[in-house]
Amino acid sequence: MLTVLVLIGFACKNKPKEQCAAIEEITIPELQECYKEGTRSVSEVVAYYIERIKTIDWDGPELHSVIMINPDAVEIAATLDEELKNGHSRGPLHGIPVLLKDNIDTHDMMETTGGSRALLGSYPTKDSWVAAKLREAGAVILGKTNLSEWANFRSFNSSSGWSGVGGQTKNPYVLTQNPCGSSSGSGVAVSANLCMVAIGTETNGSIVCPSGANGIVGIKPTVGLISRSGIIPISFTQDTPGPMARTVTDAAICLGSLTGIDSTDSKTFMSKGMREKDYSQYLNPKGLKGKRIAVYTGPIGILPEVDSLMRLAIKDMKSGGAEFVTDIHSVFDTLASDYSFDVLLYEFKDGINNYLAALGEAAPVKSLSEIIAFNNSDSVELKYFDQKILEIAEEKGDLTSPEYQKALMKMKEMVTTGGIDKLMDEYDLDAIIAPTGSPAWRTDLENGDSFVLSSSSPAAMAGYPNITIPMGFVNELPVGISIFGRAWSEPILIEIAYAYEQENKHRKAPKFLN
């Protein structure tokens, strides 16, 4: 049954098969065209994805990428069909099925758990900014995806994609391998065609790593481009949601629907005059021409197979008209990572306590200390991994602490004015590129992750944008290339990413190999 489902796809009604892409790799513009022509309905598409989740994610290979399906999805789809029937479309996301990482609040019949059993039964009192914007744009919130518990801010020794609520998410290319995280379920669900787009969140690597490891596109935007209101926090300084999709086109379309100024997230005030409502205008097939690019070589020289793909990518970008200006061996002082971790510890304690307080009486636990106590008494939460990071965070003071203030100031100086901005000014750069990460490693619930290389930290700690797109394969496992730059440079990065994608088309659907 699984093989038949994967290969047959979802044929369009009243259209020759060769003129209608199979739903497994269909894009947002293609599906919108089908809606416009009446060859598909939102209800049919939503029903298809729900059945595919049940067949592939919960049965079949058991990917464990989707924690729950929205009980309201079918009803929402019917409403959107009625709107289309009456000649009204809310925009490019009308009728597009989207999955949300399960640290993003929805005010409906779905819980928001962050993957933790301590938050089972937690029903937020209102939609997050992200959920509200998606509904406004006509998207169908299809369900919630699994994640590394607490967005991987719990243990130094953990397996990405594991949570007490959702278990271990599997990489859809080779099921024994890891999906990376913490937006593991979002990356896997998009790659395995269980939705059209998913929303992930990143503090450091949590969008770009699972996107790279699962052969998809991920956009980690500038912090403040999209509000974090209603998202279980780690860091006020570094957290951001972002779209994960199979193409740059779909990711760019989704990005524009989420921007805006939110009075409850002061970081968004900085986006005034810098944000766009439509990033599809930057889908320029000649977007590489004249771009001045540097190569961040910190992750290079570790895996020869990845280095080989990078050399080919650089060659392809040069063919597209890009100018490679210099190699950059280090973006910032290594002390910045230590300062960043201190910032995260303080901000996590403050943020999680505020988040739980906002839930009011409905919160199953009321504080970080209660989460720690719950885990100590639970039969699942500490089965594989400890909670050392939670315990260290609990020991920290508040945000008036001199230690926190110093760490925040030093980190920002090192990674922005003394890091990315300095380098881009010195060499007059449009972007910096690097391999996103290694091919997926084998999942190991005893010893945890086996990270080999990563390039996410410079953009993550600076709060600057980073886009990853498929760069090729090492055997059966995808590898991504990251493109990052200054704050608010999403338009330039999208131009580069789209032009590279159009010339190469490295994306291949997974085969669920053992």
Side-chain angles (χ1 to χ4, degrees):
M1 180 178 176
L2 173 61
T3 304
V4 171
L5 182 66
V6 171
L7 295 180
I8 288 179
F10 185 58
C12 285
K13 299 180 295 183
N14 306 320
K15 253 192 161 183
K17 186 175 180 182
E18 64 272 12
Q19 294 181 22
C20 184
I23 199 170
E24 281 84 358
E25 294 289 305
I26 199 169
T27 65
I28 289 174
E30 288 170 342
L31 185 54
Q32 290 296 355
E33 187 64 22
C34 289
Y35 288 157
K36 181 180 177 181
E37 295 180 1
T39 55
R40 286 187 177 143
S41 70
V42 181
S43 295
E44 289 169 339
V45 172
V46 166
Y48 174 83
Y49 277 122
I50 289 174
E51 181 58 29
R52 188 171 171 87
I53 289 168
K54 292 176 179 178
T55 304
I56 292 177
D57 200 67
W58 295 354
D59 299 325
E62 296 182 3
L63 298 175
H64 296 288
S65 69
V66 180
I67 288 180
M68 67 193 85
I69 293 171
N70 185 359
D72 299 325
V74 172
E75 182 179 345
I76 292 169
T79 298
L80 294 170
D81 275 329
E82 189 65 23
E83 291 181 12
L84 289 176
K85 182 179 176 181
N86 293 327
H88 173 64
S89 172
R90 302 188 194 181
L93 288 187
H94 191 106
I96 302 301
V98 180
L99 285 166
L100 303 184
K101 185 176 180 180
D102 192 31
N103 60 349
I104 302 174
D105 287 354
T106 56
H107 181 49
D108 48 24
M109 297 174 67
M110 293 189 290
E111 303 162 295
T112 300
T113 70
S116 172
R117 289 160 57 85
L119 286 184
L120 285 172
S122 178
Y123 293 91
T125 56
K126 62 180 181 179
D127 272 342
S128 60
W129 168 274
V130 167
K133 295 294 281 185
L134 287 170
R135 294 190 206 276
E136 178 186 317
V140 180
I141 298 177
L142 197 59
K144 296 288 192 74
T145 58
N146 199 13
L147 66 159
S148 310
E149 187 171 316
W150 296 114
N152 215 19
F153 202 70
R154 198 189 89 157
S155 173
F156 293 106
N157 179 38
S158 62
S159 174
S160 291
W162 182 88
S163 75
V165 173
Q168 177 64 56
T169 305
K170 300 176 185 177
N171 189 297
Y173 287 89
V174 181
L175 300 176
T176 56
Q177 305 306 106
N178 197 271
C180 201
S182 65
S183 304
S184 313
S186 295
V188 171
V190 169
S191 185
N193 286 278
L194 306 180
C195 61
M196 293 204 65
V197 182
I199 307 299
T201 65
E202 175 162 331
T203 306
N204 189 338
S206 289
I207 288 175
V208 295
C209 187
S211 294
N214 293 288
I216 63 169
V217 175
I219 299 181
K220 197 287 287 190
T222 305
V223 172
L225 187 64
I226 305 173
S227 171
R228 291 84 51 83
S229 295
I231 296 177
I232 298 174
I234 293 178
S235 169
F236 178 77
T237 300
Q238 292 182 209
D239 287 353
T240 180
M244 302 167 75
R246 289 182 290 275
T247 65
V248 176
T249 297
D250 287 359
I253 289 171
C254 185
L255 179 66
S257 71
L258 301 176
T259 64
I261 294 177
D262 176 10
S263 62
T264 63
D265 183 353
S266 60
K267 286 285 186 182
T268 64
F269 299 162
M270 297 184 295
S271 74
K272 185 176 182 180
M274 310 301 294
R275 70 188 188 278
E276 302 276 1
K277 288 294 184 183
D278 178 14
Y279 287 92
S280 66
Q281 62 186 300
Y282 302 107
L283 299 173
N284 178 8
K286 297 187 182 299
L288 279 162
K289 190 173 180 60
K291 295 297 193 296
R292 292 174 58 83
I293 297 174
V295 179
Y296 171 37
T297 61
I300 295 175
I302 299 170
L303 285 179
E305 302 94 332
V306 174
D307 295 348
S308 178
L309 292 176
M310 273 297 293
R311 285 192 293 270
L312 290 172
I314 292 169
K315 180 181 178 182
D316 291 338
M317 287 185 175
K318 285 181 178 178
S319 296
E323 179 185 353
F324 279 81
V325 179
T326 188
D327 287 350
I328 295 172
H329 304 291
S330 177
V331 178
F332 50 72
D333 190 297
T334 54
L335 279 174
S337 295
D338 296 331
Y339 286 129
S340 174
F341 186 58
D342 274 342
V343 168
L344 266 54
L345 290 168
Y346 277 96
E347 292 184 349
F348 177 73
K349 179 182 179 181
D350 178 75
I352 197 65
N353 285 337
N354 288 335
Y355 173 85
L356 294 172
L359 290 175
E361 292 302 314
V365 287
K366 310 297 184 186
S367 65
L368 176 56
S369 62
E370 288 192 17
I371 292 169
I372 293 169
F374 175 92
N375 290 344
N376 283 329
S377 65
D378 188 75
S379 61
V380 173
E381 286 294 346
L382 302 183
K383 182 178 180 180
Y384 299 112
F385 313 111
D386 61 33
Q387 54 179 337
K388 190 64 177 175
I389 293 177
L390 300 186
E391 293 166 351
I392 296 173
E394 174 60 22
E395 294 170 1
K396 296 295 184 181
D398 61 28
L399 300 188
T400 64
S401 163
E403 180 189 17
Y404 166 72
Q405 296 290 339
K406 177 185 176 181
L408 179 61
M409 180 187 68
K410 289 289 189 181
M411 181 193 76
K412 296 299 284 185
E413 286 178 354
M414 289 178 177
V415 299
T416 56
T417 54
I420 293 176
D421 292 341
K422 179 182 177 182
L423 290 166
M424 297 195 78
D425 287 341
E426 181 178 351
Y427 296 106
D428 189 23
L429 298 174
D430 291 298
I432 302 170
I433 67 168
T436 303
S438 66
W441 56 90
R442 182 177 290 269
T443 294
D444 185 345
L445 287 174
E446 182 177 345
N447 298 306
D449 287 334
S450 302
F451 277 102
V452 178
L453 62 92
S454 172
S455 62
S456 64
S457 288
M461 289 192 286
Y464 288 0
N466 190 359
I467 300 179
T468 182
I469 56 177
M471 178 171 66
F473 283 76
V474 174
N475 297 320
E476 296 292 338
L477 294 168
V479 176
I481 183 171
S482 284
I483 308 162
F484 60 95
R486 301 177 186 272
W488 319 112
S489 65
E490 284 84 358
I492 294 172
L493 305 186
I494 288 170
E495 282 194 333
I496 295 170
Y498 181 75
Y500 174 75
E501 176 195 56
Q502 293 307 296
E503 287 298 318
N504 294 278
K505 304 283 189 182
H506 287 302
R507 159 73 187 171
K508 292 191 299 187
K511 301 176 183 176
F512 314 109
L513 301 175
N514 282 306

